[in-house]
Amino acid sequence: MERFGRQYRLLKTEEFSSVFAFRKQRRGELLQILYSAANPYGHARLGLVVAKKTARRAHERNYMKRVIRDWFRRHKNTLPPCDFIVRVRRAFDCAEAPAARAELARLMAAAKKKRV
């Protein structure tokens, strides 16, 4: 089983800021992804933004982050070596999780195609 270790995460404010400043993005109904140019690490990295405004309860925000992290963990080897930030635009629950995964796959594929 592949892990989602520290080397695959955006952790520092500067790392998030650099991706936000690059301003390349794709947007769907549930999610928005922002991505940077190639990073020097040679693999994709992920940052998550789930605002309290989107989902008031912590367990709801944690569930959405868990779904996105799991998708990234399974597909990180197919992604280009960029920094990605996934922002949840509208809350989703267990019933909408498959739609969120499909949207994330579609947005990531569009970002990957745009990079090449």
Side-chain angles (χ1 to χ4, degrees), residues 85-98:
I85 295 177
V86 178
R87 176 184 281 168
V88 177
R89 296 184 65 210
R90 187 171 62 81
F92 59 88
D93 56 8
C94 296
E96 289 183 297

Side-chain angles (χ1 to χ4, degrees), residues 3 10 37 51 61-62 81 83 87 94:
R3 303 206 24 117
L10 294 177
R61 294 192 304 276
N62 292 339
D83 292 338
R87 176 184 281 168
C94 296

Side-chain angles (χ1 to χ4, degrees), residues 35-73:
Y35 55 98
S36 69
N39 66 32
Y41 303 104
H43 55 77
R45 297 190 309 162
L46 177 69
L48 295 169
V49 177
V50 184
K52 281 187 181 178
K53 186 176 181 179
T54 305
R56 198 77 181 134
R57 305 265 182 199
H59 66 82
E60 296 167 348
R61 294 192 304 276
N62 292 339
Y63 176 76
M64 291 182 272
K65 289 189 277 190
R66 195 164 47 247
V67 168
I68 295 165
R69 274 195 308 261
D70 182 59
W71 185 93
F72 180 83
R73 181 183 58 79

